[in-house]
Amino acid sequence: MSVTLHTEVGDLKIEVFCEQVPQASENFLALCASGYYDDTLIHRNIAGFIVQMGDPTGTGKGGMSIWEKPFDDELVPTLCHDRRGTVSMANSGPNSNNSQFFITYAQQPSLDNKYTVFGRLVDGMDTLAALERLEQNMLQDYVRTSTYHSAITQNSASVFNGQLAMDVGAGSGILSFFAIQAGARHVYAVEASGVAEKLRKMAQQPAYAGRITVVGRKVEDPQAAAIIPQVDVIVSEPIGVLLVHERMIESFIYARDHFLRPGGAMLPSSGTIQLAPLSDAALWNETLTKARFWQQRSFYNVDLNPYFEAAFDELFSAPVVGCFSPNTLMATEESTAQHIVDFATVTMDQLRNFDIPLQWNMRFTGLMHGIAGWFDLAFAPPSLQSGVPAVSSYMSTGPHAPATHWQQIRLLLRQPLAVNAGQVVRGIMRMRINDHRSYDMDAEIICLDADESARVNSMAALLALMKSHPTRVRSGKWYLQEQIYNYSYTGEPLDQPAKPETANLYLPVNALLAESSTQVTSVAPVDPNLPTDFVIGTKSQTTNQDQIMRQ
């Protein structure tokens, strides 16, 4: 049986598992039929984790079942939080289900065996994406919002003053309002979701009235061309995890090709994917432990072992989103692999399928457990006013920078790779679009001595070398949309910067001795005492996911 929920940003069609979890299903369907959920608020919305609703009080503390008392959990081993769009009951402890429920934004194995899974989203993934992108999470990201504000307003005289602008994927319209503040003559705010109606109300404020046209369509909609003229500037925040997740950049590029005048400006102007080798034994061991659950031979007299291989593959193909210590990076900063996406020139084909060559000069001896990833954004527009230079600015989401709501990403290898300081790890990361508005990623890497690496002068030669030395090769495949979140990192200690050996990384002896003579620390620590509104994903906010889910 299925039921459709209507939200302000679209519909969510849920398949309900009536046979597997009859009590939770009966409760949910009866509450829907009675109108109990009508006009209730989404009271908890954590990007990458869950969206929670079903409380008529809107506080997260209310709600009642159809029996006017809590009912028991129905924990079915085969019904897991193993994908985006899983629908489960929220509770305040075992057997305390009432009316509240949540939908996952990604697989969340830490919620298994604690919350009753009673449905899956079968239609409305675009609506779920719109809910995840609701503006509060992004507006409260100080690094993101302040960077955009500075990049736009500091280019008032050089780029925006008197110009026509477009805001692609406008959401609440904050970038449209910034553009008007910077002197734009008029802004076309393109937003296809139901948020567009709220934006229209916001745009009626005296300072903006008559200067913002809200286009309630996708920018690719042919009817949008009848509304939007050629513009001088395009602003957008089309960025997802590792820059390209959600594939909103494609709409940014479509807008450039169809609406931007020659010589016009785009903000941001480019993005750079950064990839580096990582040592993280704790995360790798935790992931394997989760898979080993399925090696039990007698789980209530049931042999779960046939599921183990699939569980192992699934867990090690899931990107782990969350902040991590910069001290876990193994290579020299200069050898971090980079892939630059120039928004002014990149083609759709180049955006949808691309390869990133990898060549990391290893600084430490240790075990490489995976690949770390993040991105940087550049705001370097051309000046549209003769004699007035444009101002450039930049933002990083890397582990050395203040945290953002994008955080960073870790791609775990199925088997760690042992490396020595001075060796070179080389390979390739391939990124291909998929049908889930994201990317399939696969990598092959090999560990080489420095002189051996110097003799390899082409990717073809490198791939041939991998075939002849399989024991030195590691490969991995990850699905960027199947993210799981890990919030265990709490920042570096300020009084005593962490040493690499605390992460099981070891400097060569000569480098270790040189530290004492130069008194150089290995990494500049990230300040964990930044205001909590500015640091997303720190322990003070998200350590206990169980408590996040409690009513």
Side-chain angles (χ1 to χ4, degrees), residues 67 93 139 233 387 470 524 551:
W67 301 285
L139 293 177
V233 189
Q551 293 182 0

Side-chain angles (χ1 to χ4, degrees), residues 77 112-113 288-309 311:
D112 291 346
N113 302 311
L288 181 59
T289 299
K290 292 175 182 176
R292 285 193 184 279
F293 170 84
W294 298 98
Q295 285 186 318
Q296 297 181 74
R297 295 291 185 180
S298 183
F299 182 78
Y300 292 91
N301 295 320
V302 176
D303 183 0
L304 300 182
N305 202 61
Y307 289 111
F308 173 71
E309 184 176 352

Side-chain angles (χ1 to χ4, degrees), residues 305-319:
N305 202 61
Y307 289 111
F308 173 71
E309 184 176 352
F312 179 85
D313 290 341
E314 182 176 302
L315 286 164
F316 278 90
S317 65

